[in-house]
Amino acid sequence: MSDKKCKVLIIGSGPAGYTASIYAARAGLGPVQVTGMELGGQLMSTTDVENYPGFEEVVQGPWLMEQMKKQAENVGVEIIYEMITQVDFSKKPFRCTSETTTYLADAVIISTGAKARWLGLETEKKFQGFGVSACATCDGFFFKGKEVLIVGGGNTAVEEALYMTNHASKVTIVHRRDSFRAEKILQEKLFNHPKITVIWDSVVDEILGTENPKSVNAVKLRNIKTNGVQEVPVEGVFVAIGHDPATGVFKGHIDLDEEGYMKVAAGTTRTNVEGVFAAGDVQDKIYRQAITAAGQGCMAALDVEKYLQE
Ligand code: NDP
């Protein structure tokens, strides 16, 4: 085990992490970025990206992340491909430990992201990126004039169903119980929307589609009370059953909310530990976009710069 000193350590390699490291490098802070095992984050499992500004054409998620990595390398970020498995923020410098190294950092930016929860169906995996998505805001536009299904009963599912009415010809929302947990005001909007149908007490058993071209054409739903099965024709399936922030290693070291997201001071990236900052989906359960994560990465680097100057 060796020690490595740095002014700022950035943990994670999604849009938040790379943007933070690019800004920190350009501020002369010599950042070290430890990527984690899932290099590039959630965009690595996305196909078409049409809402990240700066590109005339649709770009691919993995390609976009490769550009961010190259840009970080070009401005001098030291990128290290390993995983932080232990932290100690009780004294300075902060200690973050991987399998090989203990990083001794004056400031830390945590941008470890979150993971969408999936239903765990084989056919869901098969059609991911080909009709199955975990983000209507990202992919909804590709379903113009089509019939779609939203799975879930929380704020995200109801908001995504409402959002999809802007694109889809018909929106069905399926929930495993007979009441939503989403805010009442959102529920009212949903119930009053002529394009939305609700199917209660039901789960998705299978997603059906074609091989060539790979695309979805229906879902098989099962009513968990009656065991009755019905097939609903849809071309898009949006799984909106929650996310899990990647904060396990920070539990007990940083204040997390009841769902495990990092708490930050409003309008900043400051956590409860002075000198430790959080950016991107690890602290944001509302917006969850590549561009908002990148924006927060920028904020974190600026917050670090100010903190180190003080
Ligand atoms: P939630 O955890 O609130 O809701 C997840 C939903 O998915 C629940 O209805 C749950 O059912 C259902 N679900 C979970 N697992 C499965 C499964 N395996 N199969 C079928 N259904 C399943 O997640 P959200 O992403 O909706 O919200 C996360 C947090 O972010 C919440 O605090 C929410 O309030 C907040 N948020 C706020 C927004 C806003 O203020 N505008 C927008 C979006 C999110 P069940 O109800 O039976 O448990």
Side-chain angles (χ1 to χ4, degrees):
M1 183 71 69
S2 60
D3 284 355
K4 185 175 174 66
K5 282 189 186 160
C6 54
K7 272 193 196 149
V8 52
L9 178 74
I10 292 152
I11 310 174
S13 57
Y18 283 128
T19 308
S21 69
I22 290 165
Y23 269 79
R26 297 191 74 258
L29 300 177
V32 173
Q33 184 175 4
V34 175
T35 60
M37 297 314 276
E38 299 194 20
L39 186 65
Q42 291 180 75
L43 274 185
M44 297 303 282
S45 52
T46 309
T47 50
D48 293 353
V49 177
E50 205 174 31
N51 57 7
Y52 198 90
F55 305 100
E56 202 177 346
E57 308 278 339
V58 173
V59 298
Q60 298 298 300
W63 178 86
L64 183 58
M65 294 322 297
E66 183 62 24
Q67 301 311 302
M68 290 192 201
K69 181 165 82 70
K70 284 184 188 157
Q71 190 177 349
E73 284 166 347
N74 288 346
V75 293
V77 177
E78 186 179 354
I79 299 179
I80 298 173
Y81 301 93
E82 57 180 6
M83 178 104 182
I84 297 297
T85 53
Q86 230 180 308
V87 297
D88 181 358
F89 295 148
S90 64
K91 51 186 182 293
K92 290 174 188 169
F94 302 120
R95 301 169 76 85
C96 298
T97 306
S98 70
E99 221 172 62
T100 62
T101 310
T102 295
Y103 297 89
L104 304 170
D106 298 332
V108 176
I109 296 174
I110 299 168
S111 46
T112 46
K115 263 192 196 156
R117 281 186 212 138
W118 294 97
L119 298 167
L121 302 170
E122 215 172 279
T123 46
E124 169 190 56
K125 214 171 185 178
K126 178 175 161 188
F127 290 111
Q128 201 176 314
F130 299 90
V132 174
S133 162
C135 179
T137 319
C138 320
D139 301 326
F141 184 76
F142 301 117
F143 295 85
K144 260 213 154 16
K146 299 184 173 168
E147 298 190 10
V148 300
L149 181 85
I150 312 285
V151 188
N155 274 346
T156 304
V158 172
E159 278 192 350
E160 295 208 333
L162 289 165
Y163 171 74
M164 282 310 295
T165 61
N166 298 322
H167 301 298
S169 58
K170 182 178 175 200
V171 177
T172 304
I173 178 164
V174 61
H175 184 36
R176 63 182 176 182
R177 294 188 291 122
D178 61 2
S179 65
F180 289 129
R181 64 169 67 223
E183 287 165 20
K184 288 283 172 287
I185 184 159
L186 286 173
Q187 294 193 34
E188 267 166 40
K189 278 192 196 162
L190 180 113
F191 293 136
N192 290 327
H193 203 291
K195 269 193 188 175
I196 302 179
T197 305
V198 182
I199 299 182
W200 298 115
D201 297 318
S202 297
V203 293
V204 181
D205 262 359
E206 205 181 339
I207 296 166
L208 309 170
T210 56
E211 274 300 332
N212 213 351
K214 213 182 205 183
S215 61
V216 170
N217 56 27
V219 285
K220 208 180 263 182
L221 303 183
R222 181 171 46 87
N223 184 301
I224 53 171
K225 287 188 174 155
T226 64
N227 248 341
V229 173
Q230 61 171 319
E231 226 174 271
V232 179
V234 291
E235 289 181 71
V237 177
F238 293 93
V239 179
I241 61 171
H243 286 73
D244 294 312
T247 50
V249 70
F250 306 105
K251 208 171 172 183
H253 302 278
I254 292 279
D255 278 356
L256 307 177
D257 73 10
E258 63 286 352
E259 291 166 281
Y261 288 85
M262 297 224 153
K263 286 189 184 172
V264 291
T268 78
T269 61
R270 293 200 310 266
T271 69
N272 66 307
V273 178
E274 209 184 319
V276 179
F277 302 81
D281 288 15
V282 75
Q283 57 106 321
D284 169 25
K285 55 187 170 193
I286 309 286
Y287 301 104
R288 298 192 186 112
Q289 302 301 299
I291 190 67
T292 51
Q296 288 166 14
C298 162
M299 287 166 64
L302 298 180
D303 285 347
V304 163
E305 201 182 346
K306 192 159 169 252
Y307 165 76
L308 292 176
Q309 271 168 8
E310 280 166 4

